[in-house]
Amino acid sequence: MLKNIFSTRISQEKKEDKTVVVVSGLPRSGTSMMMKMLAEGGIPILTDTIRKADDDNPNGYYEFELVKKLPEGQNQWLAEANHKAVKIISALLEHLPARYQYKIVFMEREPGEILASQQKMLANRNEKSEIGDAEMQEQFQKHLAAIKYWLARQPNMDVMYVDYNKMMSGPEDYCQAIANFLAMPVDVSRMLAVPNERLYRNRATKP
């Protein structure tokens, strides 16, 4: 998880007039769907073809492999990401260089749904989680509390939190709000066509 999240970031990097759009959140929280929504809306995206679409993500993962190298300091690719969108899981946000500005669309989803989605993905790969659901959910909660605390203190990061569950039931207001937040030309009508109830397969069960 995040290390030294409460430490003060000290940077001598020169500030650059570039804004990167970041789609973030926990894995299986709707980040791939949001990337597709931005792509359909006309936002250029950074992605590659390394991870293919599958039964767990029929519309694709929209991942960019170099993102995984952020902890190693490999972030040169961000120089070409001005006004482009890239998917970065929340655990890697602290490794973004301070010299850029970031507009972060942070996906939030019911923890029970995230767990169900992860379990299904592991089952499809014939894998099994090493920790129980209760412990995993506790880790989720601690991580989200820590990353939100950290994000609120980063002067170069603007964050919009998007409730995946609410957006799936009523995407109209959310799509327009996202367009307003990004302050970039976005085709909201094309964004609206992406959320698909048929792919909303791992719903939280109510007591």
Side-chain angles (χ1 to χ4, degrees):
M1 307 305 283
L2 294 175
K3 295 181 179 179
N4 302 322
I5 195 168
F6 301 114
S7 63
T8 302
R9 175 189 284 189
I10 301 175
S11 175
Q12 301 299 323
E13 295 173 300
K14 180 181 178 181
K15 301 293 182 181
E16 298 188 29
D17 186 21
K18 292 185 178 180
T19 299
V20 181
V21 176
V22 174
V23 173
S24 191
L26 290 169
R28 310 306 294 170
S29 63
T31 52
S32 298
M33 184 189 71
M34 180 54 64
M35 284 293 291
K36 181 174 176 60
M37 290 173 66
L38 296 183
E40 289 295 321
I43 302 293
I45 62 172
L46 283 178
T47 187
D48 51 42
T49 59
I50 295 176
R51 191 174 187 184
K52 308 293 185 182
D54 55 26
D55 289 341
D56 295 307
N57 259 11
N59 287 328
Y61 286 87
Y62 289 88
E63 292 185 352
F64 189 57
E65 194 69 14
L66 287 176
V67 166
K68 298 176 183 178
K69 302 292 186 180
L70 282 173
E72 302 170 19
Q74 294 189 30
N75 54 42
Q76 298 84 352
W77 52 272
L78 282 163
E80 306 300 323
N82 190 35
H83 289 132
K84 294 180 181 178
V86 61
K87 185 169 79 169
I88 302 175
I89 61 170
S90 53
L92 296 180
L93 291 177
E94 65 169 335
H95 299 290
L96 288 170
R99 63 181 176 273
Y100 302 122
Q101 297 292 318
Y102 303 94
K103 290 272 191 177
I104 301 175
V105 180
F106 197 107
M107 301 300 295
E108 298 189 288
R109 187 177 182 181
E110 288 289 339
E113 293 187 0
I114 292 177
L115 285 170
S117 183
Q118 289 185 348
Q119 288 170 346
K120 187 173 183 179
M121 176 181 282
L122 289 172
N124 289 340
R125 299 175 181 178
N126 294 316
E127 299 175 6
K128 187 176 181 180
S129 176
E130 297 180 356
I131 63 176
D133 287 354
E135 183 179 350
M136 180 67 76
Q137 188 160 331
E138 183 179 359
Q139 288 187 10
F140 287 166
Q141 292 171 342
K142 289 181 177 179
H143 167 71
L144 289 174
I147 192 62
K148 288 181 178 181
Y149 181 93
W150 182 81
L151 283 169
R153 285 153 180 78
Q154 305 311 308
N156 63 325
M157 296 182 176
D158 294 328
V159 187
M160 177 180 177
Y161 292 96
V162 175
D163 187 314
Y164 173 90
N165 304 86
K166 291 181 179 178
M167 188 176 71
M168 289 302 294
S169 60
E172 294 84 0
D173 291 341
Y174 265 109
C175 287
Q176 187 59 59
I178 292 167
N180 295 342
F181 170 71
L182 297 178
M184 297 169 61
V186 178
D187 188 332
V188 174
S189 63
R190 290 184 64 86
M191 285 181 67
L192 278 168
V194 175
N196 188 337
E197 281 285 318
R198 290 186 296 106
L199 297 180
Y200 186 10
R201 297 168 292 190
N202 299 293
R203 300 173 188 258
T205 57
K206 296 181 179 180

